[in-house]
Amino acid sequence: MPTSADLLGTWRVIGFSEWSRDGVERHPLGHNPVGYAIFDSAGRIFIQLGKSPGRGTPAEDVAGSFIAYFGTFEVKGDTLIVAIESGNQAHDVATTQTRTVILDGDALSL
């Protein structure tokens, strides 16, 4: 199982999916999103991601898709626990979110 130390560094976002309660997957940032997830040794996390510019995507759509937040993180077993301090998505501010962590070589899936 991964540890907090295993996540330290900067990870490039290569995919972003959401699932509905009935298990339907969707890609709100398209199939080629861009962004980074940064985990530091003080237990802080910084996330920025959005639609990829270019390929006919208007700049307004790219800017409007931007998701950013920061807070603290810890890993317990196979679970990442993020206490979001602030961000640009009102429904995420001051929440705690959990994600299953899968670390396969140099690929991190949350």
Side-chain angles (χ1 to χ4, degrees), residues 14-81:
I14 60 170
F16 179 78
S17 299
E18 293 180 341
W19 284 266
S20 67
R21 291 186 189 272
D22 57 352
V24 176
E25 182 180 14
R26 62 185 206 98
H27 303 274
L29 303 179
H31 289 283
N32 297 300
V34 294
Y36 292 93
I38 301 169
F39 298 84
D40 76 13
S41 60
R44 292 181 295 261
I45 183 172
F46 308 89
I47 304 290
Q48 295 184 346
L49 63 152
K51 288 182 179 178
S52 180
R55 296 189 183 144
T57 304
E60 295 81 16
D61 287 354
V62 172
S65 73
F66 188 67
I67 299 170
Y69 62 87
F70 62 90
T72 59
F73 79 95
E74 65 178 309
V75 175
K76 289 186 177 179
D78 66 350
T79 302
L80 171 69
I81 303 164

